[in-house]
């Protein structure tokens, strides 16, 4: 009897080729695809998805997995087998009919949601949302035995964040959200000392691109194994072990928008570029979870890029690319980048208010999945929660419960990973500071290598060998908590 | 018994999805792929090629084809079945071992050729070339029963140009090459009246891109179903029924280089955009041959773009994008674009000398395949032929028999399609003029729609329903001949 492990590895390496080909077509769809070419592209992607599904759900895999557990394996190989067991179990649990129904419904729903948002009419989205909630509930019921947990939301959360339970997230928000709300007044007061138009001026796209590329290179993004292109919605995608592509958008009135976008996506990109090359495309060379991925983007964006030290160092280069910045100081740029404001729209929110937006979504999603909140009551519940946490009165659904695309693709359980990412970032940064006493001096002189190396060792190279709580505990001494984030926010904003 | 035709069509539509996915990855490889990402990309493309091969060589296809010939089919469906019969027979005739050996050898040979060319040493390329010639001969021996013909070169030519025989190409060159050589002196004399630096100046890339796009749009290239990007070696590729991508390169000292490049690639692109949408990816919606494809690029590049009428019309727009052109006249731009010069390098050659370069390559390839020319004698034979046709003495192999990449990918039989393209372009243009008496007035006022419509009807929409000689006969009254090309060159250059 031949050994099973090599057959599994060959199978999943082939699947990785197909998956990255799909990602390649998806990247092109967002960047360069001509307007009329979308239907053909959809057919190409569907064909690849079919091949991928066929390769990763076959009965033979179950046999190989059963056999491989008793084979003599290296630690990486054991990580791979554990990862495949989970992925295979999840994939097998979802019948084709449900997957197709979800694909069909979300394709329509995204369009209908966009129209409903334009009209600010939750009622127009309600029938679709009702279907999506029912489908997500069915999916959750099927996945729960695999993900583990005690309620539907555990299963949905577990897809994005293996090992995290709804009760844990509830506990985090129960202390974190009120503490955030308490920070808001002092942060607003300090922020008011910097005028909103402190950096007013014209920032040509080409100069922004040159500056962004310089910064991304300095923090360690490898342009021989990656790129930056332009899209409406920024993202970062992995197309191969040496092919990580990020995107951004440009506002010629505000260079900070694309720069922080690039710092954010470069954080994702550095994680992807730091995954094990030997196990690339296999669980030991895959990212741990969305909440860990987001911690990397937020760490580089906010903890590095949003610091006074960053601007003290980069000020001369910023002036080189945007000569009129000579009329303002490095400190003013840092202060402008730290602006806090109560606002209705999550994607525009600053660091102090951002997680309040997430707290609202989490409570509503959780209760929707549990069946304790009626769909028709979502706008009222949203507006009440938002008022309680931010003090603002939501004027209409477009500025409230209709603003995000996530529910239209049935992405229930996704939102909390944003907050987990923020908490993880602060916690990892604090741990890196403890481990490297000279870290702040290095960052102040534009030396990012030691920080990156610490992240490579403690996060990137772990792949999926640990769950997120295990990884956080190994790297920082405890699973995700709110303390380091609150200390960071207070020091930075108050 | 179910009908076979629908199964064939479904199979080949699936193959078209895979083929265009390969083309997509190939396009990205040339345009945007990061430097370190090439090995993974090669694996992705190899995987797709394997799927494509599996889908298009299975025994079941033979059975379907046999059955489909007796089914009740539309004309397009009959074209498809005939095309598949040929493609399937060709694919089945080549054993995997030969295909793999060709792939492996050409991969090495391209590198070795580039190095040999850099050292101008034919001897360094000789061992690889010897293998490639032997492999091409084996391939030709296998394909000859399918392509028809009486010699190996017939088989190789037949792959690119179904229905054309070596003897016919020999006959064309026998009269065409001496006639061209005779045109050279008067053309050089007339050309000498325009100074080489008549258009000297700086032409910023962004301005060239804006002007090129305006011109490409005017002749009918649909940018909602296509794009222009930048590459070292310009090309045009079809990624779907509404996705035709061309590329060019820019020389800021010479705007004509990218403009004529765009006119050339747009000619290919208009053909691709004009193929039947209903049969797209099937033989009835595929291009007829390389020689017909090249006729479309050369027609728009030379017969439209290279005319006095074109520059009389576009002069104001050229001055808009490049203000210093106000100091020269439209006639001077046209004259500069018409410059003739004896030169050693094919890709730099003008219209009068270009086909002399091809004549040299054709004779040498034909005799190599027939075994009547020894490989070691190639440089001597090349130089003697080149001297005879152009009067120039080749200084070294880099300027002679080592200059082209084609032999390094075993592309024997490809070169003649360039000349067939030139002849077909002149012949089609003459026929269009006869069919549309007001054509020149329309072109002079920048109206290209009637010409494009004539080409759509007589060339693009024919797909592979006719062979190239049949198509030329249907469109112009006779198969490819040299007369119209000679008349055109004499009128334009002498």
């Amino acid at each position: 009897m031949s050994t099973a492990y090599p057959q599994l590895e060959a199978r999943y390496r082939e699947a990785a080729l197909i998956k990255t080909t799909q990602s390649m077509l998806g990247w092109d769809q967002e960047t360069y695809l001509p307007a009329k070419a979308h239907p053909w592209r959809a057919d190409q992607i569907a064909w690849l998805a079919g091949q991928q599904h066929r390769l990763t759900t076959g009965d033979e895999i179950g046999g190989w997995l059963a056999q491989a557990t008793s084979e003599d394996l290296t630690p990486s190989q054991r990580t791979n087998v554990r990862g495949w067991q989970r992925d295979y179990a999840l994939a097998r649990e979802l019948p084709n009919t449900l997957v197709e129904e979800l694909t069909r419904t979300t394709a329509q729903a995204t369009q209908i949601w966009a129209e409903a948002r334009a009209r600010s009419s939750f009622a127009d989205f309600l029938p679709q949302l009702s279907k999506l909630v029912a489908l997500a509930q069915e999916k959750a019921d099927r996945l729960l035995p695999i993900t583990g947990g005690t309620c539907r939301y555990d299963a949905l959360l577990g897809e994005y964040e293996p090992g995290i339970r709804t009760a844990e997230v509830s506990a985090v928000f129960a202390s974190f959200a009120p503490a955030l709300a308490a920070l808001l007044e002092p942060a607003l007061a300090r922020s008011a000392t910097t005028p909103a138009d402190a950096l007013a001026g014209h920032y040509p796209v080409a100069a922004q691109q040159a500056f962004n590329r310089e910064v991304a290179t300095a923090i360690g993004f490898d342009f021989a194994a990656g790129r930056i292109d332009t899209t409406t919605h920024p993202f970062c995608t992995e197309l191969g072990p040496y092919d990580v592509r990020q995107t951004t958008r440009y506002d010629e009135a505000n260079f900070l928008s694309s720069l922080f976008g690039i710092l954010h996506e470069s954080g994702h990109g550095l994680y992807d570029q730091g995954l094990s090359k030997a196990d690339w495309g296999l669980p030991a060379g895959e990212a741990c979870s969305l909440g860990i991925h987001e911690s990397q983007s937020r760490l580089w964006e906010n903890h590095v890029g949003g610091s006074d030290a960053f601007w003290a160092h980069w000020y001369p280069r910023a002036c080189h690319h945007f000569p009129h910045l000579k009329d303002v100081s490095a400190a003013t740029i840092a202060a402008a980048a730290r602006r806090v404001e109560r606002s209705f729209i999550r994607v525009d929110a600053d660091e102090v208010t951002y997680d309040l937006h997430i707290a609202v979504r989490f409570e509503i999603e959780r209760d929707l999945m549990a069946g304790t909140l009626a769909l028709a009551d979502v706008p009222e519940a949203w507006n009440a929660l938002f008022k309680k946490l931010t003090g603002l009165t939501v004027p209409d659904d477009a500025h409230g419960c209709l603003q995000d695309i996530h529910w239209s693709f049935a992405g229930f359980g996704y939102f909390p990973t944003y907050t987990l990412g923020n908490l993880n970032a602060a916690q990892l940064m604090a741990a890196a500071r403890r481990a490297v006493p000279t870290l702040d001096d290095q960052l102040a002189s534009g030396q990012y290598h030691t920080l990156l190396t610490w992240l490579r060792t403690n996060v990137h190279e772990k792949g999926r060998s640990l769950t997120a709580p295990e990884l956080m505990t190994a790297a920082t001494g405890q699973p995700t908590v709110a303390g380091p984030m609150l200390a960071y926010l207070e020091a930075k904003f108050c």
Side-chain angles (χ1 to χ4, degrees), chain A:
Chain A
M1 191 163 160
S2 62
T3 51
Y5 181 83
Q7 297 178 79
L8 281 166
E9 187 172 315
R11 172 61 61 93
Y12 280 99
R13 283 196 189 274
E14 186 177 352
L17 281 179
I18 305 175
K19 188 175 157 192
T20 51
T21 301
Q22 276 184 269
S23 301
M24 167 79 234
L25 299 191
W27 171 86
D28 182 72
Q29 207 170 17
E30 299 298 319
T31 51
Y32 297 119
L33 192 72
K36 295 180 185 172
H38 284 269
W40 186 262
R41 176 54 48 87
D43 287 348
Q44 292 174 315
I45 289 176
W47 183 84
L48 288 165
Q51 299 299 313
Q52 174 79 2
H53 180 79
R54 185 178 59 76
L55 279 186
T56 54
T57 56
D59 292 337
E60 65 281 12
I61 296 178
W64 292 335
L65 284 168
Q67 194 188 327
T69 48
S70 59
E71 289 175 356
D72 185 26
L73 302 178
T74 67
S76 288
Q77 291 172 336
R78 278 199 297 275
T79 293
N80 290 338
V81 171
R82 269 201 315 276
W84 294 327
Q85 280 169 328
R86 180 174 188 280
D87 299 345
Y88 180 69
L90 288 175
R92 294 270 291 193
E93 211 49 61
L94 297 180
N96 275 346
T97 49
L98 177 59
V99 173
E100 281 163 18
E101 183 67 16
L102 264 167
T103 306
R104 196 169 27 250
T105 310
T106 57
Q108 296 164 351
T110 306
Q111 182 64 28
I112 291 168
W113 159 75
E115 291 162 12
R117 183 174 71 161
R119 286 190 299 271
S120 197
S121 165
F122 181 76
D124 289 358
F125 184 44
L126 193 53
Q128 295 293 321
L129 186 57
S130 168
K131 272 196 216 174
L132 290 166
V133 166
L135 287 168
Q137 287 172 333
E138 183 187 342
K139 181 177 156 182
D141 290 338
R142 289 178 177 276
L143 295 187
L144 195 56
I146 315 294
T147 59
T150 55
C151 63
R152 281 176 185 150
Y153 200 74
D154 279 343
L156 298 176
L157 197 55
E159 236 200 319
Y160 302 116
E161 205 64 25
I164 296 268
R165 297 281 177 259
T166 308
E168 291 163 340
V169 177
S170 294
V172 164
F173 275 118
S175 64
F176 184 45
L180 272 184
L183 281 181
L184 192 48
E185 281 303 336
L188 286 166
R190 178 163 168 211
S191 187
T193 61
T194 305
D197 63 350
L199 303 182
H202 179 69
Y203 301 88
V205 168
Q208 292 190 48
Q209 289 174 328
F211 186 43
N212 293 348
R213 195 177 166 100
E214 228 177 277
V215 172
T217 302
I219 67 173
F221 187 77
D222 180 0
F223 280 95
R227 312 182 34 84
I228 297 175
D229 294 271
T230 307
T231 54
T232 316
H233 302 289
F235 64 91
C236 182
T237 183
E238 264 186 310
L239 309 187
Y242 293 95
D243 195 355
V244 174
R245 305 196 188 186
Q246 46 173 311
T247 70
T248 191
R249 57 186 162 203
Y250 301 93
D251 173 357
E252 291 204 320
N254 175 12
F255 81 105
L256 293 179
S257 157
S258 77
L259 176 68
F260 280 100
I262 288 299
L263 282 162
H264 182 98
E265 301 305 338
S266 290
H268 286 304
L270 289 171
Y271 189 178
D272 291 339
Q273 290 186 339
L275 294 168
S276 158
K277 299 301 181 200
D279 285 296
W280 199 90
L282 314 180
E286 285 177 340
C288 173
S289 75
L290 285 187
I292 298 298
H293 226 309
E294 189 74 3
S295 78
Q296 301 304 289
S297 58
R298 297 296 259 179
L299 187 150
W300 291 99
E301 177 189 8
N302 295 330
H303 294 262
V304 175
S307 67
D308 286 334
F310 181 87
W311 288 104
H313 175 77
W314 283 100
Y315 180 66
R317 296 306 301 160
C319 291
H320 170 82
H321 292 290
F322 314 113
H324 69 270
L325 286 179
K326 288 184 189 117
D327 300 335
V328 300
S329 66
T332 303
I333 301 178
R338 219 159 40 213
R339 215 179 149 65
V340 176
E341 205 172 5
R342 282 193 181 92
S343 65
F344 295 104
I345 303 298
R346 175 185 60 85
V347 296
D348 298 334
D350 53 76
E351 288 181 79
V352 177
T353 54
Y354 190 90
D355 296 301
L356 296 173
H357 291 260
I358 301 300
V360 171
R361 287 152 181 79
F362 166 67
E363 284 206 34
I364 291 188
E365 285 189 347
R366 182 195 58 193
D367 297 349
L368 270 181
M369 284 304 130
T372 57
L373 173 66
L375 262 170
D377 297 336
V378 165
E380 200 188 326
W382 178 293
N383 297 351
L385 269 167
F386 197 77
K387 174 90 180 176
K388 184 178 117 193
L389 289 172
T390 69
L392 290 181
T393 303
V394 174
D396 54 45
D397 295 337
H399 290 80
C401 63
L402 275 183
Q403 68 182 272
D404 293 304
I405 197 173
H406 299 59
W407 292 344
S408 80
F409 62 75
F412 305 99
Y414 193 117
F415 283 123
T417 69
Y418 291 127
T419 289
L420 292 169
N422 287 330
L423 303 183
N424 291 337
Q427 198 167 324
L428 288 167
M429 193 67 191
R433 278 206 172 85
R434 288 195 301 272
V436 185
T438 62
L439 189 63
D440 280 308
D441 296 336
Q442 293 187 32
L443 297 179
S445 61
Q447 300 301 315
Y448 305 105
H449 184 70
T450 307
L451 176 59
L452 181 57
T453 303
W454 190 88
L455 293 170
R456 290 260 190 266
T457 308
N458 289 281
V459 181
H460 307 180
E461 289 163 9
K462 299 293 183 196
R464 286 169 62 189
S465 66
L466 306 172
T467 65
E470 288 165 354
L471 184 148
M472 288 303 295
T473 304
T476 74
Q478 56 186 338
T480 307
V481 292
M485 176 69 171
L486 283 166
Y488 155 74
L489 290 176
E490 194 159 357
K492 182 170 176 181
F493 291 96
C494 301

